[in-house]
Amino acid sequence: MSDDFLTNKLSTEGADMLTLAGVNDENLIELQKQSGAKVALRGDTLTVSGSHDSVDRATPIAQRMIDAAKQRLSLTADDVLRMTLDDGGDAAGGGNGPAGVDDGETRIVLPGIRKIIRPKTRGQNEYLKLIMENDIVIGIGPAGTGKTYLAVAAAVDALSKKRVKRIVLARPAVEAGESLGFLPGDMQAKVDPYLRPLYDALEDMMPQERVVKALETRTIEIAPLAYMRGRTLSDAFVILDEAQNATNAQMKMFLTRLGVNSKTVITGDKTQVDLQRREESGLLQVERILPGIEGIGFHYLDEADVVRHRLVREIIKAYADDSGG
């Protein structure tokens, strides 16, 4: 046997084998494809074999897969692919690959639904840490990077631990003009379609009956950005989603609502400004004027942080390339 051939055996004791291997062994197949090593799962052992380089690439990823399977976390072929992504293309290296248990990963445990929210990339992990450490965080990045989802998870966590008394989720409605009069129904019926993504994230993290009760008691409020005017939001976790479609005046109004013991997360995608004049975007303005203020954190996510279908990452990259970045 060649001196360049190496075999590494990893214990899988305590791991859920279906989670580890994936449907039709898709996770193991993806690991083989990305690393070039041969992967075999037998009993309580995952064997990685091949050239030294391929085994070195595959082993740390295989260990992360085993750790995830031990904790019964979600693990798909896309997750395995993300585990191999970083700045240099080396699975064992640094960069913006997966957030692993050895990287100081920030996790949110939601006991009501027995669910663990964990970042899937280092970029997401850094974003979640920034939310924990700052009073105001601005998360900027393309669709599918988890900007809103992780912010809502942090808000639900803060509410369940009684760090805040309520959650306020806001969005500019109908592009940025908030011209809702032409739509049928009462005001709630008019704005609900634009606020639906916030409801979806919330319902994924709390039992449905608890969501309904929280909305009825206004412990959780979901409303168009225009409804924030004139209010002071104290003891609250406040999220402004789709902030690229808030005007400069709306953004200033929103930021000055912050009260005592409140935390604010602003999320947006600079490539999706629907305002008639792009320079009127409040997100672009705060990006210019707020960096450097203590207690305000900025975090940028990119296509490497996309956690939807793997093609979404490629589509975002293609559009960025076509527009010159």
Side-chain angles (χ1 to χ4, degrees):
M1 187 174 292
S2 169
D3 291 338
D4 190 45
F5 190 87
L6 183 66
T7 297
N8 200 354
K9 295 186 176 183
L10 304 175
S11 172
T12 61
E13 187 175 357
D16 181 81
M17 294 304 174
L18 180 57
T19 298
L20 178 58
V23 178
N24 296 324
D25 291 339
E26 64 174 7
N27 296 345
L28 304 182
I29 293 169
E30 187 67 30
L31 178 58
Q32 289 187 161
K33 177 182 174 182
Q34 297 300 326
S35 67
K38 183 178 180 181
V39 180
L41 181 59
R42 298 286 185 276
D44 287 338
T45 302
L46 181 66
T47 302
V48 180
S49 56
S51 67
H52 279 265
D53 286 345
S54 65
V55 172
D56 285 347
R57 283 193 297 270
T59 298
I61 304 305
Q63 188 59 59
R64 291 174 187 175
M65 292 167 62
I66 292 169
D67 291 341
K70 284 181 178 179
Q71 297 169 60
R72 305 302 194 269
L73 300 174
S74 173
L75 186 64
T76 67
D78 275 0
D79 293 325
V80 176
L81 174 60
R82 277 189 290 274
M83 288 180 179
T84 67
L85 294 175
D86 59 44
D87 294 338
D90 179 0
N96 197 33
V101 291
D102 297 327
D103 301 317
E105 181 183 87
T106 303
R107 299 180 185 180
I108 294 175
V109 180
L110 302 175
I113 55 173
R114 297 183 179 180
K115 184 171 185 176
I116 298 175
I117 305 293
R118 65 192 295 265
K120 291 181 178 290
T121 70
R122 286 194 176 92
Q124 288 191 348
N125 193 45
E126 291 165 8
Y127 173 58
L128 204 50
K129 280 186 175 180
L130 211 60
I131 291 174
M132 304 296 183
E133 296 167 358
N134 292 269
D135 289 335
I136 298 176
V137 171
I138 294 97
I140 299 174
T145 51
K147 305 182 300 295
T148 304
Y149 189 83
L150 291 174
V152 173
V156 172
D157 183 53
L159 182 66
S160 66
K161 292 178 179 176
K162 303 188 184 305
R163 292 174 182 160
V164 297
K165 294 180 180 177
R166 56 179 170 159
I167 296 172
V168 179
L169 308 175
R171 258 190 166 201
V174 194
E175 287 78 39
E178 302 195 5
S179 303
L180 304 173
F182 69 92
L183 292 171
D186 60 16
M187 183 55 70
Q188 194 63 41
K190 293 175 191 290
V191 301
D192 270 358
Y194 304 98
L195 304 176
R196 188 69 248 171
L198 296 174
Y199 284 104
D200 290 344
L202 205 54
E203 289 169 358
D204 195 42
M205 297 174 197
M206 296 172 64
Q208 188 174 7
E209 62 276 9
R210 189 179 162 204
V211 173
V212 171
K213 183 176 180 181
L215 290 170
E216 288 176 349
T217 60
R218 299 182 72 81
T219 302
I220 296 177
E221 181 181 354
I222 304 177
L225 175 59
Y227 286 19
M228 299 297 107
R229 191 173 302 279
R231 302 179 60 184
T232 300
L233 301 172
S234 301
D235 295 310
F237 197 118
V238 190
I239 299 172
L240 173 58
D241 192 33
E242 297 289 335
Q244 74 276 2
N245 289 327
T247 64
N248 292 333
Q250 286 174 329
M251 182 65 78
K252 181 181 178 182
M253 175 273 292
F254 175 77
L255 286 169
T256 53
R257 300 308 93 201
L258 190 64
V260 177
N261 189 40
S262 288
K263 186 182 287 285
T264 295
V265 179
I266 296 168
T267 70
D269 179 356
K270 294 192 295 181
T271 69
Q272 298 292 327
V273 176
D274 293 320
L275 293 164
Q276 290 184 354
R277 297 177 60 203
R278 177 180 170 84
E279 62 271 19
E280 276 292 304
S281 171
L283 182 65
L284 300 184
Q285 184 181 47
V286 297
E287 188 184 23
R288 292 194 307 270
I289 68 176
L290 295 187
I293 298 177
E294 187 176 354
I296 299 179
F298 281 80
H299 188 72
Y300 292 85
L301 297 149
D302 58 31
E303 65 268 12
D305 297 299
V306 172
V307 293
R308 293 180 184 169
H309 192 285
R310 66 180 67 192
L311 286 177
V312 174
R313 184 187 304 112
E314 298 302 322
I315 291 167
I316 290 169
K317 186 175 185 300
Y319 271 95
D321 292 344
D322 185 60
S323 62

